[in-house]
């Protein structure tokens, strides 16, 4: 996650690579929108950590993202003691009004390291409309979410072992795709092990529903949608 975030350091202005990719999935209104959480979404997806970081799917709105961590029981309030316990890779949320209220969150970044004294070093997108390192204190930290980067999640392990399949492919993995499509209300799909036109059309429909690129190819972004892994 951090390695991917570091690649964005120095990016500035909008639209940019991050907002363009998010807009391609969710609409052109995101091309020039505030992009701090779009950056976190981008880093999670490109580092293979979407399942750990994006518990509710892609996020551009920081309040909803923080609420995802709260619902999962992976939220830590922004007190000095809690900030000192932050770890690299934690997703840290800020409230410029200096409260610990999730509903008041304004901004988000990823912790690069804890510095002690209630301070952390972060990497943040959309800070002065750029991606930069910052040092933040507990006074403006509403809290942070702790992703499960352990890889112990059985769904992540399964997805990591699944191959990419697309039109023209055959075999048991195509049958798995077709069975999952049937479970996603696509009765027109036959479980015959042949990735045909009907299967491709159903995959594209599910991809659109799941907010991933609708290219008809079942790979690391689409298997989680079929399995309802967010």
């Amino acid at each position: 996650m951090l390695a991917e975030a570091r690649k964005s350091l120095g990016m500035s202005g909008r639209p940019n690579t991050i907002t363009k990719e998010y807009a391609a999935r969710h609409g052109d209104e995101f091309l020039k929108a505030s992009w701090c959480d779009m950056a976190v979404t981008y880093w999670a997806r490109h580092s293979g950590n979407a399942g750990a970081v994006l518990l509710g799917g892609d996020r551009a709105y920081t309040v909803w993202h923080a609420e995802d961590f709260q619902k999962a029981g992976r939220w830590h309030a922004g007190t000095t003691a809690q900030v000192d316990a932050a770890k690299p890779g934690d997703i840290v949320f800020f409230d410029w009004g200096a409260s610990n209220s999730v509903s008041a969150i304004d901004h988000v970044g990823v912790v690069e390291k804890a510095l002690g004294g209630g301070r952390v070093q972060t990497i943040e997108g959309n800070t002065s409309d750029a991606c930069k390192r910052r040092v933040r204190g507990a006074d403006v930290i509403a809290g942070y979410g702790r992703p499960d980067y352990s890889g112990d999640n059985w769904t992540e392990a399964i997805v990591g072992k699944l191959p990419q399949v697309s039109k023209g492919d055959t075999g048991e993995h195509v049958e798995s795709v077709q069975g999952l499509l049937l479970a996603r209300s696509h009765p027109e799909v036959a479980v015959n092990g042949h990735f045909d036109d009907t299967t491709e059309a159903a995959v594209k429909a599910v991809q659109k529903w799941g907010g991933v690129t609708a290219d008809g190819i079942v790979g690391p972004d689409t298997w989680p949608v079929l399995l309802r892994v967010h």
Side-chain angles (χ1 to χ4, degrees), residues 14 19 28-36 38 60 126 129:
R14 64 187 105 164
T19 67
D28 287 349
E29 64 269 25
F30 290 99
L31 283 170
K32 295 186 178 181
S34 297
W35 52 283
C36 57
M38 284 190 254
N126 196 40
D129 204 24

Side-chain angles (χ1 to χ4, degrees), residues 163-171 174 178 192-196 217-218:
Q164 178 174 292
V165 293
S166 58
K167 186 177 177 181
D169 287 338
T170 60
V174 175
Q178 291 169 330
N192 56 21
H194 295 275
F195 203 120
D196 52 19
I217 299 170
V218 180

